């Protein structure tokens, strides 16, 4: 029986669901893993994660399709990205096939929490991993925990599809040759002061520039950025220090193969922002959220669609992407994984 929740009113918050998946790593091997009711973690005051932030995470969603199936979107790419992140942080990667299997198990075990089709809500899935044993000199842990929990969510930005205001941040998110291209918890710790500052000033998100020259657009704290040059062309910032968003890679494919658009992935200067007609933030949580205006130290640029609604090209991309995710439009091979 579905839980009694006002699905349409959910924001992006945490609600404890019934089951989570836990696997522990010690003596050089991952154990078999299990589903558990226990949402609490006990660890030493000297656990590596508490001092040296040896932690990483992922984010993906489960959807109810139009014909009532529960599906996940490209979980293999989250498995692969978490694998890459683990290697960068000197953590033992959780096997990719086991990652996908664990996602299936935990979604199945929480199926009553998967929001029904048409409510605008989805089940957010949060895999995470951290170094758990005592470490006092600076070095990686020996023991780790991998965990996946779920929580039903609504839109990431208040107001859903209404354009948001963002600012160009004075803080940097990721150093050149740093960890910006992996999903390390420390990247988000770096962004907390910046996001609190932006919110206080009335902005929904920060645009981070490349730290070396502060001229090129990188991404926001929780999403990649896409620009619409015209109704036939998307421009996507390219950089070694932004997270390789699964949503963005899917949008590129959808634009090229479903909508016949040209996609240019290249360095994008802040100075050329007024060449673009529309701008969107894309990610699992953000889906495609339209940006209405960008504020660069008081100089405000408003995209041609203004602050009331999403522009026509982003709307087409949004409809096609979410149509694929919700089973209204045929998906490319392997994109949709049914939870049975
Ligand atoms: N960039 C950052 C910094 C993020 O935290 C996320 C969220 O995962 C994304 C981009 C979008 O990535 P994805 O589309 O894989 O969710
Ligand atoms: C996601 O989109 O899954 C993320 O991890 C972004 C986070 C800011 C919620």
């Amino acid at each position: 029986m579905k839980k009694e929740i006002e699905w349409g009113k959910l924001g992006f918050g945490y609600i404890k669901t019934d089951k989570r998946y836990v696997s522990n790593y010690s003596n050089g091997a991952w154990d078999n893993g299990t589903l558990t009711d226990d949402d609490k973690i006990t660890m030493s005051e000297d656990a590596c994660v508490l001092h040296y932030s040896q932690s990483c995470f992922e984010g993906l969603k489960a959807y109810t399709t139009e014909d009532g199936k529960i599906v996940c979107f490209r979980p293999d790419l989250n498995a692969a990205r978490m694998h890459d992140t683990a290697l960068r942080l000197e953590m033992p990667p959780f096997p990719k096939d086991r990652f996908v299997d664990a996602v299936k198990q935990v979604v199945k075990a929480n199926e009553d929490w998967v929001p029904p089709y048409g409510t605008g809500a989805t089940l957010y899935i949060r895999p995470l991993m951290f170094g758990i044993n005592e470490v006092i000199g600076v070095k990686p842990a020996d023991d780790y925990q991998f965990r996946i929990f779920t929580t039903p969510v609504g839109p990431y930005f208040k107001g859903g599809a209404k354009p948001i205001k963002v600012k160009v941040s004075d803080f940097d998110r990721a150093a050149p040759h740093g960890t910006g291209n992996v999903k390390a918890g420390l990247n988000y710790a770096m962004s907390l002061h910046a996001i609190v500052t932006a919110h206080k000033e009335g902005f929904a998100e920060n645009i981070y520039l490349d730290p070396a020259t502060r001229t090129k657009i990188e991404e926001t704290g929780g999403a990649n950025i896409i620009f619409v040059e015209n109704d036939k062309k998307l421009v996507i910032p390219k950089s070694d220090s932004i997270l390789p968003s699964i949503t963005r890679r899917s949008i590129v494919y959808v634009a090229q193969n479903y909508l016949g658009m040209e996609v240019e992935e290249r360095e994008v200067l802040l100075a050329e922002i007024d060449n673009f007609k529309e701008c969107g933030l894309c990610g699992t949580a953000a889906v495609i959220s339209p940006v209405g205006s960008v504020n660069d130290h008081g100089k405000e640029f408003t995209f041609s669609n203004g602050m009331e609604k999403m522009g026509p090209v982003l709307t087409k991309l949004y409809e096609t992407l979410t149509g694929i995710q919700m089973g209204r439009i045929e998906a490319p091979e392997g994109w949709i994984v049914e939870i049975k």
Side-chain angles (χ1 to χ4, degrees):
M1 262 253 295
K2 285 285 172 199
K3 298 290 169 187
E4 285 200 18
I5 290 177
E6 287 193 89
W7 305 105
K9 293 200 175 149
L10 286 174
F12 198 86
Y14 174 75
I15 296 172
K16 183 184 158 192
T17 58
D18 296 334
K19 301 282 180 189
R20 62 277 304 123
Y21 177 91
V22 178
S23 179
N24 290 300
Y25 182 94
S26 66
N27 298 319
W30 288 104
D31 69 12
N32 288 334
T34 185
L35 290 173
T36 168
D37 293 342
D38 192 359
D39 61 321
K40 298 288 188 287
I41 300 163
T42 303
M43 65 177 84
S44 163
E45 63 191 359
D46 190 36
C48 185
V49 62
L50 299 179
H51 304 257
Y52 305 133
S53 298
Q54 198 187 18
S55 78
C56 63
F57 67 99
E58 274 299 326
L60 66 161
K61 282 176 172 171
Y63 309 81
T64 306
T65 61
E66 196 165 23
D67 57 359
K69 294 187 187 116
I70 296 177
V71 300
C72 284
F73 186 67
R74 313 190 75 180
D76 53 319
L77 297 189
N78 296 94
R81 191 169 63 191
M82 197 171 202
H83 190 279
D84 295 344
T85 304
L87 293 178
R88 178 66 177 80
L89 299 179
E90 288 295 334
M91 303 168 98
F94 193 71
K96 291 182 229 171
D97 53 340
R98 286 194 57 196
F99 178 105
V100 174
D101 180 61
V103 166
K104 289 181 185 167
Q105 285 187 44
V106 79
V107 173
K108 181 72 191 164
N110 292 297
E111 63 185 329
D112 295 345
W113 296 91
V114 183
Y117 177 77
T119 57
T122 52
L123 189 73
Y124 187 69
I125 305 163
R126 173 54 62 87
L128 65 155
M129 193 202 289
F130 47 91
I132 198 165
N133 69 294
E134 296 85 351
V135 165
I136 196 72
V138 178
K139 62 171 189 164
D142 297 310
D143 300 341
Y144 295 85
Q145 185 170 106
F146 171 81
R147 182 175 272 261
I148 305 180
F149 67 82
T150 61
T151 181
V153 295
Y156 189 67
F157 294 107
K158 280 196 213 87
K162 231 172 135 62
I164 55 172
K165 290 167 97 144
V166 302
K167 68 169 282 189
V168 175
S169 183
D170 285 327
F171 300 102
D172 293 328
R173 174 178 181 275
H177 317 294
T179 53
N181 61 343
V182 296
K183 212 160 163 62
L186 63 93
N187 294 338
Y188 299 82
M190 295 275 287
S191 75
L192 295 177
H193 179 59
I195 194 68
V196 169
T197 307
H199 286 166
K200 273 189 200 146
E201 295 170 355
F203 300 102
E205 253 290 12
N206 283 299
I207 287 185
Y208 293 101
L209 301 177
D210 73 296
T213 71
R214 304 197 62 82
T215 58
K216 293 173 236 165
I217 291 178
E218 297 248 296
E219 63 173 325
T220 66
N224 279 180
I225 305 176
I226 59 178
F227 293 103
V228 175
E229 187 166 310
N230 56 52
D231 58 359
K232 297 201 173 48
K233 187 167 166 194
L234 287 186
V235 176
I236 313 263
K238 189 172 172 168
S239 156
D240 290 339
S241 51
I242 67 180
L243 192 75
S245 158
I246 293 161
T247 313
R248 185 249 296 162
R249 287 180 270 162
S250 304
I251 288 169
V252 167
Y253 185 91
V254 162
Q256 290 169 329
N257 295 282
Y258 284 63
L259 303 176
M261 296 178 73
E262 184 193 342
V263 181
E264 199 171 274
E265 295 192 54
R266 61 167 170 85
E267 291 184 338
V268 176
L269 297 173
L270 178 61
E272 57 176 313
I273 200 162
D274 50 4
N275 294 336
F276 300 122
K277 296 218 158 49
E278 299 174 42
C279 172
L281 306 189
C282 67
T284 299
V287 193
I288 299 177
S289 299
V291 174
S293 66
V294 175
N295 190 300
D296 174 22
H297 300 90
K299 204 171 101 206
E300 187 139 289
F301 176 76
T302 304
F303 291 95
S304 55
N305 256 82
M307 300 305 297
E308 284 311 309
K309 58 179 198 320
M310 196 186 280
V313 177
L314 286 187
T315 301
K316 245 190 323 188
L317 283 166
Y318 179 90
E319 291 298 332
T320 314
L321 178 71
T322 56
I324 290 169
Q325 291 167 333
M326 311 267 178
R328 294 187 297 267
I329 296 175
E330 188 163 342
E333 179 79 31
W335 280 24
I336 300 295
V337 173
E338 188 178 348
I339 311 296
K340 293 186 201 152

